[in-house]
């Protein structure tokens, strides 16, 4: 298990890329990485996605990237990484006050299309995502047939009716869901 918190630091993409590359560990099963209020952007997010995609034994991921400059390239890379994790059962993802839009949000959401995923906590706040991301998330969640627990927060976004419809349909299709907490504001 690896646990690392970097908060209110002067970390930039120079150090962020090297830090991310250090997580390229195929044997890593459980990662808790929290990066808050740093100067990192897409170069770090892309490097992190590339490293995570090689963690083939990962079953639990807690990733928080808040108050950073990450954007669509990071969302795309992280979504692709999630799709390459064959054993992921638990994911806690927080992206707050970033430059993420629907371009990266759709791919990130599609990366959650993991039948073995049992527990998802996804919090996207204060980003420029809207219905294209919400619809993609609903489509991905509908394929998570083993999901028993869902915490979804999408606050200070452009989420609308299309997202509500897609997410509602997804919830109806989850046969094992026992706990659900949704905030769309």
């Amino acid at each position: 298990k690896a646990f690392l918190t970097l908060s209110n630091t002067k970390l930039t993409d120079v150090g962020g890329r090297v830090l991310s590359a250090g997580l390229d560990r195929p044997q890593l099963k459980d990662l808790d990485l929290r990066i808050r209020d740093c100067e990192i952007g897409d170069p770090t997010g892309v490097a992190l996605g590339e490293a995570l995609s090689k963690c083939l034994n990962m079953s639990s991921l807690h990733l928080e990237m808040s108050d950073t400059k990450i954007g669509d390239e990071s969302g795309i890379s992280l979504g692709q990484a999630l799709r390459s994790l064959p054993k992921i059962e638990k994911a806690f993802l927080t992206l707050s006050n970033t430059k993420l839009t629907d371009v990266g949000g759709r791919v990130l959401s599609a990366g959650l299309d993991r039948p073995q995923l049992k527990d998802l906590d996804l919090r996207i706040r204060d980003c420029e995502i809207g219905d294209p991301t919400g619809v993609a998330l609903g489509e991905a969640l509908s394929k998570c047939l083993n999901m028993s627990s869902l915490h979804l927060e999408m606050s200070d976004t452009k989420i609308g009716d299309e997202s509500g419809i897609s997410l509602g349909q997804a919830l109806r299709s989850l046969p094992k869901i026992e706990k659900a907490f949704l905030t769309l504001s």
Side-chain angles (χ1 to χ4, degrees):
K1 179 175 183 168
F3 180 84
L4 181 61
T5 297
L6 301 167
S7 185
N8 197 21
T9 69
K10 297 189 183 301
L11 182 69
T12 67
D13 287 319
V14 173
R17 285 192 312 259
V18 176
L19 171 68
S20 296
L23 296 171
D24 175 354
R25 313 297 307 159
Q27 71 276 17
L28 189 60
K29 293 180 181 181
D30 189 349
L31 173 64
D32 189 321
L33 176 61
R34 301 170 196 217
I35 302 175
R36 304 180 194 120
D37 197 19
C38 300
E39 295 297 314
I40 64 163
D42 280 332
T44 297
V46 169
L48 180 59
E50 290 171 355
L52 290 177
S53 70
K54 297 173 184 163
C55 297
L56 300 179
N57 288 306
M58 175 119 13
S59 61
S60 179
L61 173 64
H62 182 129
L63 177 62
E64 178 180 345
M65 299 178 89
S66 299
D67 299 309
T68 66
K69 296 177 182 178
I70 66 161
D72 292 328
E73 291 179 38
S74 298
I76 291 167
S77 184
L78 292 171
Q80 292 169 340
L82 287 166
R83 288 193 77 91
S84 69
L85 300 176
K87 297 181 180 180
I88 192 80
E89 292 183 358
K90 183 175 182 179
F92 184 107
L93 306 172
T94 299
L95 300 171
S96 179
N97 193 24
T98 67
K99 298 185 181 301
L100 186 67
T101 70
D102 285 320
V103 172
R106 284 191 319 257
V107 179
L108 177 64
S109 295
L112 295 168
D113 169 3
R114 309 303 306 149
Q116 72 277 15
L117 192 59
K118 295 178 182 176
D119 186 358
L120 175 63
D121 190 319
L122 177 63
R123 301 172 193 217
I124 301 178
R125 302 181 198 115
D126 196 20
C127 298
E128 293 297 315
I129 62 162
D131 281 332
T133 297
V135 169
L137 180 59
E139 291 170 358
L141 291 178
S142 69
K143 297 173 184 162
C144 297
L145 300 179
N146 288 305
M147 185 166 300
S148 61
S149 178
L150 173 65
H151 181 131
L152 176 62
E153 179 183 342
M154 300 176 106
S155 302
D156 297 316
T157 65
K158 297 178 181 179
I159 295 294
D161 288 340
E162 290 179 50
S163 299
I165 291 167
S166 182
L167 293 168
Q169 291 170 338
L171 284 169
R172 290 183 62 98
S173 71
L174 299 175
K176 296 183 180 181
I177 195 79
E178 295 174 1
K179 296 188 296 184
F181 179 83
L182 306 175
T183 302
L184 304 173
S185 62

